[in-house]
Amino acid sequence: MPSSPPACAVPAPTENSAATAPAAPTAPAAAHVPTAHRVRVAVTAPDPITHEGVLSQLRRHPEVELCKNSGPATVALFIEDTIDEAALTRLRRAVRSEGSRAVLVAGTVREHELLDVVECGVGAIVWRHEATAQRLVRAVLTAAKGGGDLPADLLAQLISQVRRLQNDSADQPGFLVSFTKREVDVVRLVADGFDNSEIALKLSYSERTVKNVMYGLTTRLHLRNRAHVVAYALREGFI
């Protein structure tokens, strides 16, 4: 009678084999940011899809806390299709009435709209086609600190426009507020696009000194942010 083929033996796992088995990959833990250090952000968008899309991008970043229905926001983030009077009213209300810093995301900002936006107190502008999660968070954090963040083409346009206004009003008498040499040096470098650390290095100041100069100008002249300081200094002929 033919014998049956031997059954295949399955080796039992040993302690060594269990120890050498590869561990299942684990997802990296999200960085923890204390609640007190998070920036509270309120988002205003023209439609629910855009609103939810921006929220989903910001929600991934622990340094941002999205506002619910109550409580003041440190930064008000506006996504606007057009810069009309209704949009400007929303920006003014957020900055002047609610005390928020404003970030604007827009597809276009026409030349005649730019000064209006800056005068509303907007400290950061992001082009809509560049509005990645990282870019939005950078603008939010910069605005929260009172800094300015404008695309290079808009900054150049702002400088050109204010200089033109300055030339047009050169013959009109006005109230003269003097800038110190230190203030002129700092603001000129701000207008050239340098940040505080770069300005400190160029002028051999501490970074705290540069911050104090900008803070002194904004409080003394009742200006809202770095972009507003640059616009004022250009319009009055200090730089």
Side-chain angles (χ1 to χ4, degrees), residues 88-99:
L88 294 174
T89 299
R90 286 190 288 271
L91 293 169
R92 290 190 196 101
R93 184 187 304 119
V95 174
R96 299 177 186 178
S97 300
E98 300 168 12

Side-chain angles (χ1 to χ4, degrees), residues 128-140:
R128 194 157 184 166
H129 67 274
E130 297 177 350
T132 62
Q134 290 76 14
R135 183 68 185 87
L136 290 176
V137 170
R138 190 183 87 192
V140 163

Side-chain angles (χ1 to χ4, degrees), residues 77-93:
L77 175 61
F78 291 89
I79 297 90
E80 299 289 354
D81 289 330
T82 57
I83 311 300
D84 54 15
E85 190 54 43
L88 294 174
T89 299
R90 286 190 288 271
L91 293 169
R92 290 190 196 101
R93 184 187 304 119

Side-chain angles (χ1 to χ4, degrees), residues 7-224:
C8 293
V10 179
T14 64
E15 289 186 5
N16 290 339
S17 63
T20 57
T26 57
H32 175 70
V33 177
T35 301
H37 296 163
R38 295 175 188 165
V39 176
R40 288 176 56 83
V41 179
V43 177
T44 300
D47 58 79
I49 293 178
T50 302
H51 187 262
E52 286 303 317
V54 173
L55 291 182
S56 68
Q57 290 196 66
L58 296 178
R59 210 174 271 126
R60 307 170 194 168
H61 294 266
E63 59 266 55
V64 170
E65 178 185 353
L66 296 172
C67 287
K68 304 254 174 97
N69 293 328
S70 61
T74 305
V75 174
L77 175 61
F78 291 89
I79 297 90
E80 299 289 354
D81 289 330
T82 57
I83 311 300
D84 54 15
E85 190 54 43
L88 294 174
T89 299
R90 286 190 288 271
L91 293 169
R92 290 190 196 101
R93 184 187 304 119
V95 174
R96 299 177 186 178
S97 300
E98 300 168 12
S100 300
R101 308 281 188 179
V103 174
L104 174 65
V105 179
T108 59
V109 178
R110 291 188 288 270
E111 184 175 357
H112 69 277
E113 298 166 342
L114 181 55
L115 271 183
D116 289 337
V117 168
V118 171
E119 289 291 338
C120 286
V122 173
I125 300 175
V126 179
W127 291 130
R128 194 157 184 166
H129 67 274
E130 297 177 350
T132 62
Q134 290 76 14
R135 183 68 185 87
L136 290 176
V137 170
R138 190 183 87 192
V140 163
L141 297 181
T142 299
K145 297 174 184 175
D149 188 353
L150 301 182
D153 53 341
L154 273 188
L155 182 58
Q157 188 181 116
L158 175 63
I159 292 173
S160 174
Q161 190 172 353
V162 172
R163 279 181 176 154
R164 189 161 58 248
L165 288 174
Q166 174 191 332
N167 292 334
D168 292 343
S169 60
D171 297 330
Q172 299 179 13
F175 179 73
L176 180 62
V177 178
S178 63
F179 274 38
T180 66
K181 182 180 184 304
R182 173 180 288 184
E183 289 170 338
V184 170
D185 291 341
V186 169
V187 175
R188 183 175 287 122
L189 290 174
V190 170
D192 289 338
F194 294 102
D195 62 24
N196 287 342
S197 61
E198 293 170 325
I199 294 171
L201 185 63
K202 282 181 172 292
L203 298 179
S204 299
Y205 296 156
S206 69
E207 194 168 343
R208 180 182 292 275
T209 296
V210 176
K211 291 179 181 178
N212 287 341
V213 167
M214 295 304 295
Y215 177 77
L217 286 170
T218 55
T219 54
R220 187 174 89 237
L221 302 177
H222 306 290
L223 305 173
R224 298 184 187 90

